[in-house]
Amino acid sequence: MGKKSRVKTQKSGTGATAAVSPKEMMNLISELLQKCSSAAPSPGKEWEEYVQIRALVEKIRKKQKGMSVSFEGTREDFFSELMTWGAECGASCDCFEISNFADEGYGLKAARDIKAEELFLWIPRKMLMTVESAKDSVLGPLYSQDRILQAMGNVTLALHLLCERSNPSSPWLPYIKTLPADYDTPLYFEEEEVRHLLATQAIQDVLSQYKNTARQYAYFYKVIQTHPNASKLPLKDAFTFDDYRWAVSSVMTRQNQIPTADGSRVTLALIPLWDMCNHTNGLITTGYNLEDDRCECVALKDYKEGEQIYIFYGTRSNAEFVIHNGFFFEDNAHDRVKIKLGVSKSERLYAMKAEVLARAGIPASSIFALYCSEPPISAQLLAFLRVFCMTEEELRDYLVGDHAINKIFTLGNTEFPVSWENEIKLWTFLETRAALLLKTYKTSSEEDRSMLEKPDLSLHSRIAIKLRLAEKEILERAVSCCRAKRLHFQKQLDEGAPLPLYEESDIALLENADAKLPIILRKLEEEDESVQEEMNLAQIKPDAACVDSSKTPVLNGQCKDLNGTQEDPPGGDAVVKESKVEKHDPSTKRTEGEPKDGGK
């Protein structure tokens, strides 16, 4: 992931000690932990809480100035050492070199012509930093006692990275020295830069990310200073907020799920060299070869010598890219905004609607999405809206009768409307909802475009405003599309056009296009937006230790974010191959969303 590196790289070594007493620092840390662990603020008070937490963090950072350790030189000074180390460990290093690609930062450049689907990159397990290697390291004794580390592999990986960075004899130093010194995730935004995200759908996750990172830092600062099993950690003398923020961002932008050595479950890993690849639209082309015990990647397309080699990060929205990867992807075909919809339990027809939805495998209340594509809604959302707008008579048609069950299969199919009136009603409803969402923004699209023309705009402000504008453009297109649909079906009604009727013979039609698949057989794409408070031990969920590794794609930066929320699993139904990557295995060919700053 060639992140735009603009400053010196973090390093191991001894940092200068700031003039602050241990007692004074511990008091500040306790205050921060208490502030971050208090009850969630009332609606509308989240920003106020963020400002208060940030003020405490800045006070701590000021007193810790000069305590962080760093390496001499810049990250590019160590690229040759990384390549040499990789070759010695058995990685493939002949097909590419690390190069700077201007706005995209560092990435991999083809050293020779590479054919599409050619296996050009493999990384053996011994090069990977994993939760398992953390257990076998100096962090092991603390891991065995701390429930947070046991429950959150990403946090374990972050502390593992910091411990190894401080170890002059760490086998991973050639990799660690090439990591960026800082990142462009919102954890690094100034307060005024974060303010640009107010009213966007990303703001709650951004504020939660900062709060949870601050809470984790304060918690582990106290643990490192007081826990007997932490006495030998190299972090005891210097563990700054900047250190933890760096480690969190390194893991958050790079972590991946791979199978454990025996293939029985999955674990989190950092994958050197491979994680230098930047993102583009395409297919999942990376898998884990258990037979040879290595991560393998085949080329997305033909690459000529000198061209940049890309990988595909998954079907992520730009909000996810900004929050978890620190970049905005201009041509994101999978961009979307969330929309929460539900059937009111107080509605007279609630029971009937809930039953039809249940038969279709759709909750009566859920988070859906409006997409940047045409049409802007998924088959699931179309099915929900049709049921949501049904009359009692229409509902009865889908609940009783010889063909009621079969009719459920048509709910998400654009070719079989429930009725012209139902279509008019659902598109009118969605048009109104999208228009209302647009009104929540404090600036217009025109004002955002004007701001983006300012030459002195900071990179982070530019990222935030681009995200804000992208959300509005999706909503604006949705309003326009809904209006066109509403007018079309009104014309059908006015002209007395015959309603297409579903016949048993049409089942083949339902199985053709993706948008026409039976809803009941498809998984709901949008996940619940509830945030798990990972520091609340009663709510901590264990890592996916029982997840079948054959169901886990290797996607850059995938898995739980360190703020405790579950990232949208971009390739959830792709697989990690248990043998060698096969060029035509459709499981690795699922079209997904895309990033840009892959090789941070």
Side-chain angles (χ1 to χ4, degrees), residues 1 18 35 56 133 154 209 287 298 316 320 328 376 384 442 474 497 517 520 551 563 566 571:
M1 322 167 175
K35 181 64 181 175
L56 270 173
S133 64
N154 41 22
Q209 183 186 67
V298 299
R316 301 173 190 175
E320 290 167 325
F328 179 91
F384 174 87
K442 307 301 181 187
I474 290 173
L517 286 175
I520 202 167
K551 299 288 175 65
N563 68 8
Q566 179 68 37

Side-chain angles (χ1 to χ4, degrees), residues 234-405:
L235 309 178
K236 196 167 180 67
D237 295 331
F239 177 50
T240 68
F241 177 84
D242 283 357
D243 288 336
Y244 190 67
R245 177 176 64 171
W246 171 81
V248 161
S249 293
S250 295
V251 171
M252 184 167 57
T253 58
R254 286 167 158 74
Q255 64 186 348
N256 292 275
Q257 286 185 329
I258 66 165
T260 52
D262 61 4
S264 64
R265 55 194 178 87
V266 295
T267 188
L268 289 181
L270 296 177
I271 308 175
L273 286 176
W274 177 81
D275 68 5
M276 290 296 300
C277 290
N278 285 310
H279 165 86
T280 193
N281 290 322
L283 313 166
I284 300 171
T285 56
T286 303
Y288 199 89
N289 181 340
L290 275 172
E291 183 181 343
D292 292 333
D293 204 18
R294 66 189 190 184
C295 181
E296 296 182 339
C297 185
V298 299
L300 264 177
K301 66 181 188 69
D302 288 344
Y303 291 107
K304 294 292 184 183
E305 181 180 348
E307 289 184 337
Q308 182 173 183
I309 302 170
Y310 292 95
I311 60 174
F312 176 66
Y313 285 13
T315 52
R316 301 173 190 175
S317 67
N318 269 320
E320 290 167 325
F321 283 143
V322 169
I323 295 167
H324 305 301
N325 298 85
F327 66 86
F328 179 91
F329 188 66
E330 297 287 353
D331 302 312
N332 189 354
H334 303 276
D335 205 8
R336 56 194 178 271
V337 297
K338 296 176 182 177
I339 179 168
K340 187 170 186 176
L341 299 172
V343 182
S344 172
K345 291 186 177 180
S346 61
E347 184 186 336
R348 182 177 66 87
L349 299 177
Y350 172 79
M352 295 178 74
K353 291 182 178 181
E355 176 61 24
V356 175
L357 288 170
R359 293 184 185 187
I362 301 174
S365 179
S366 188
I367 305 295
F368 296 96
L370 295 175
Y371 293 87
C372 60
S373 56
E374 175 72 29
I377 66 174
S378 65
Q380 285 86 357
L381 179 50
L382 176 59
F384 174 87
L385 290 171
R386 281 177 168 170
V387 177
F388 181 81
C389 295
M390 280 183 186
T391 64
E392 183 172 358
E393 183 179 352
E394 289 168 343
L395 287 165
R396 196 171 287 114
D397 287 342
Y398 285 79
L399 287 172
V400 297
D402 294 339
H403 303 293
I405 292 297

Side-chain angles (χ1 to χ4, degrees), residues 142-156:
L142 180 60
Y143 180 93
S144 67
Q145 295 293 314
D146 189 88
R147 291 177 62 193
I148 300 295
L149 292 178
Q150 293 168 9
M152 300 188 67
N154 41 22
V155 174
T156 299

